[in-house]
Amino acid sequence: MKFGLIPVNVGVKSIEQIVGYSQLAESVGIESVWTFEHVIVPQDYASKYPYSADGKMGARPETNFVDPLIALTAIAANTKTLLLGTGVNIVSQANPMFLAKQAASLDFVSGGRFMLGAGIGWLQEEFDAMGVPFERRGARFDDYIIAMKKVWSGEVVEHQSEFINWSGFKSYPVPAKKSGIPIIMGGTKGKIYERVARHGDGWFLPVDNPEALAEKMTPLAAACAAEGRDPDSIEISCMWNMQGGIDAIKAFEDAGASRIIVPIFGLGKDPVAGLTELAETIISKI
């Protein structure tokens, strides 16, 4: 079982804190660190956050949301083996060419350690602020993923669609892996099973117990069968609520997970002490 830490870019007070968490994580056996993304946090919003009972995300407008790719670049420069993931970037509100270039550049400076967690987005007020249509964001997301993979190919890019008109160029650097930057699909809503099966190298589910994870595996297998895809080729990551100890980790593994991502906010008032304890009581014994 692999272990990740999330989010290393939210609610932080300094670059030293971002880098310090990450260096400690690397030293105690954490495999990866992950970020959240919101460009803005509205004072109030009608949009419903789909993963909380009250429809609100757990961040105030004054919360520091350091840009994910900038935070991960700083971490890349100060670590050696730690994998770097976004959990997730809101692809459908981004400029796909710029995001493709940023992602490839981060992969370059990190020596191939970057994983792009990709989501569709739920906060219409954020799309409005960025001047991007909220409508048809799913179709835009699918198109952007296909187009960005062409940018990473190193070949001449040709991509004409409803959303993009690209022709006759190349973009370097290209990802370190011939297979490209791993795309980790995020979420459990909408056409997520089809998107994971069609586009995903991995799937990051915001579920925090093995039973909830197990329920998702049957429809994922069905979607993979429809795409002619082996479901075992998709790396499954999920959150852990820090309950149940080693038995819970084994249950996650039995349900299909290969990575557990631990929320920093669940490590207690002193995350450094909490992370050290997690390493000693769980990670070192797996």
Side-chain angles (χ1 to χ4, degrees):
M1 180 66 73
K2 304 171 185 176
F3 288 84
L5 187 68
I6 196 170
V8 292
N9 67 319
V10 178
V12 290
K13 297 180 180 179
S14 66
I15 184 60
E16 288 79 15
Q17 189 175 14
I18 293 174
V19 170
Y21 280 156
S22 301
Q23 289 177 328
L24 175 60
E26 184 176 56
S27 71
V28 300
I30 294 288
E31 172 250 9
S32 53
V33 292
W34 299 75
T35 55
F36 290 153
E37 182 187 38
H38 279 294
V39 179
I40 64 162
V41 179
Q43 289 287 98
D44 192 20
Y45 46 94
S47 301
K48 301 298 182 184
Y49 178 59
Y51 305 110
S52 69
D54 64 359
K56 301 295 182 183
M57 60 176 154
R60 297 176 57 83
E62 298 80 15
T63 303
N64 280 343
F65 259 95
V66 180
D67 179 88
L69 301 183
I70 291 177
L72 292 176
T73 299
I75 293 168
N78 289 280
T79 57
K80 295 181 179 180
T81 61
L82 199 65
L83 298 189
L84 314 167
T86 58
V88 297
N89 263 45
I90 308 166
V91 171
S92 47
Q93 72 181 17
N95 179 303
M97 178 61 69
F98 192 41
L99 180 57
K101 171 62 81 173
Q102 289 177 307
S105 298
L106 175 51
D107 190 74
F108 177 82
V109 302
S110 68
R113 290 187 278 151
F114 181 53
M115 301 176 287
L116 179 62
I120 291 173
W122 59 274
L123 185 59
Q124 181 171 349
E125 291 83 354
E126 186 172 19
F127 280 73
D128 293 344
M130 295 188 69
V132 178
F134 190 66
E135 296 75 17
R136 307 205 66 236
R137 65 194 184 281
R140 194 180 312 115
F141 174 92
D142 294 338
D143 190 50
Y144 285 4
I145 293 293
I146 294 168
M148 288 193 300
K149 288 182 177 182
K150 292 181 180 180
V151 173
W152 298 331
S153 71
E155 302 298 327
V156 176
V157 175
E158 298 290 340
H159 188 91
Q160 288 78 38
S161 67
E162 177 184 354
F163 305 104
I164 292 172
N165 183 20
W166 293 346
S167 182
F169 64 84
K170 295 183 180 182
S171 180
Y172 277 70
V174 296
K177 302 180 184 69
K178 290 185 177 180
S179 56
I181 293 170
I183 300 292
I184 314 298
M185 292 291 165
T188 59
K189 305 298 182 181
K191 298 179 181 179
I192 186 61
Y193 299 107
E194 293 88 342
R195 290 189 169 105
V196 172
R198 188 170 301 145
H199 303 300
D201 298 289
W203 185 16
F204 180 12
L205 299 81
V207 298
D208 62 4
N209 64 82
E211 295 77 18
L213 174 60
E215 291 175 358
K216 309 294 184 185
M217 293 299 100
T218 298
L220 176 61
C224 286
E227 291 290 328
R229 180 90 184 270
D230 179 1
D232 290 338
S233 68
I234 298 168
E235 185 175 60
I236 303 297
S237 305
C238 56
M239 301 284 279
W240 180 39
N241 60 14
M242 306 288 286
Q243 302 298 311
I246 291 177
D247 289 342
I249 302 302
K250 292 179 178 177
F252 273 115
E253 189 171 22
D254 290 343
S258 54
R259 179 184 293 112
I260 296 298
I261 302 179
V262 176
I264 289 178
F265 308 128
L267 293 172
K269 293 183 178 180
D270 183 350
V272 171
L275 185 55
T276 302
E277 181 180 358
L278 174 69
E280 292 173 350
T281 59
I282 301 293
I283 297 175
S284 66
K285 300 183 183 303
I286 297 297

